Amino acid sequence: MLRRSSILFFSFLILSTACNNSTRSTIASEIKSRFDGHYVYPILSWAGKNPAEIGCIIEKHFDYRDSIFNCDHNNYINKGDPCVLTDAYYEGIQFPSTLTSKISPLIKDIGLSFENGSLQEIFVTFKDSIEKNKLEELFQLPKDKVKLPEDIMRIDYGDNIYSSDKPVDTNYTKWLTITAFEHISAPDMDCE
């Protein structure tokens, strides 16, 4: 008997192939399965994708069509520059706050940060504290942070030490950050 995580992994592979091929094939509108009264969602699969690919995923699975980054935006190429065309360099889709409950009612907000045409970081803020081990299951995160997928640099679900709104118990968290690659700013590029 296949474990639930195996079934979700195969569903994710089908979804990734369909989105990467930019086909409009019929895919189940939701690839979620029950988990402790909530749903499991492979948010990890978004890391490193471009804004149009993520817009297409959001369009196909959440019935939300972004006016710029959607399934019709084929062959997206970022034309920005961290020194001169900074707005274009950091352009990307933002996850609509009205859709967060479709991923999980536990989520307050999802932030996406793009650089040079790729999703650099995903920030998830929860409405309340959540157990870290449940967080791993909820988003299909690897339990061993040493064995991360090749397009993931770091996963942090600790708490901001400067926040006054953090759980007392260290087994709980209110934040999740998935980093695909390190942020590169204008000073890092020796912009003059």
Side-chain angles (χ1 to χ4, degrees):
M1 183 168 101
L2 288 174
R3 290 183 46 217
R4 181 180 349 177
S5 60
S6 299
I7 293 169
L8 286 169
F9 177 73
F10 292 120
S11 297
F12 160 67
L13 288 178
I14 293 167
L15 168 66
S16 293
T17 303
C19 287
N20 287 338
N21 292 336
S22 298
T23 62
R24 287 197 170 262
S25 63
T26 305
I27 302 172
S29 64
E30 297 175 293
I31 58 165
K32 305 172 185 175
S33 70
R34 300 296 279 166
F35 163 69
D36 196 23
H38 302 289
Y39 294 94
V40 176
Y41 189 82
I43 198 169
L44 203 63
S45 66
W46 295 358
K49 292 198 180 325
N50 72 47
E53 290 172 320
I54 293 175
C56 189
I57 291 169
I58 292 170
E59 181 177 342
K60 287 180 177 181
H61 298 281
F62 300 103
D63 279 337
Y64 175 88
R65 182 177 169 83
D66 186 78
S67 61
I68 299 170
F69 302 109
N70 54 56
C71 291
D72 293 337
H73 195 138
N74 297 325
N75 304 319
Y76 169 80
I77 297 173
N78 182 274
K79 296 179 180 167
D81 180 281
C83 300
V84 182
L85 301 171
T86 55
D87 287 348
Y89 185 78
Y90 295 109
E91 75 180 356
I93 189 170
Q94 292 307 309
F95 193 82
S97 59
T98 56
L99 300 180
T100 57
S101 64
K102 289 188 175 185
I103 290 183
S104 171
L106 302 173
I107 298 174
K108 178 180 178 183
D109 185 47
I110 295 176
L112 306 175
S113 175
F114 292 86
E115 284 187 32
N116 197 28
S118 294
L119 183 60
Q120 183 262 332
E121 210 158 43
I122 304 167
F123 310 97
V124 181
T125 306
F126 298 96
K127 293 177 183 175
D128 200 357
S129 301
I130 182 172
E131 286 182 78
K132 290 179 181 178
N133 64 346
K134 286 190 178 183
L135 180 65
E136 291 170 347
E137 285 190 57
L138 184 65
F139 291 112
Q140 298 295 286
L141 304 176
K143 295 204 181 281
D144 184 356
K145 289 188 178 183
V146 177
K147 297 178 183 177
L148 295 174
E150 66 180 52
D151 55 352
I152 302 294
M153 179 181 168
R154 186 174 56 246
I155 298 174
D156 297 305
Y157 42 90
D159 297 307
N160 181 339
I161 60 171
Y162 302 106
S163 174
S164 60
D165 182 29
K166 61 184 174 192
V168 175
D169 188 335
T170 57
N171 293 316
Y172 287 78
T173 187
K174 281 193 168 187
W175 301 277
L176 166 67
T177 304
I178 299 168
T179 306
F181 56 90
E182 204 63 61
H183 167 65
I184 301 170
S185 62
D188 296 327
M189 299 297 289
D190 293 327
C191 296
E192 295 180 10

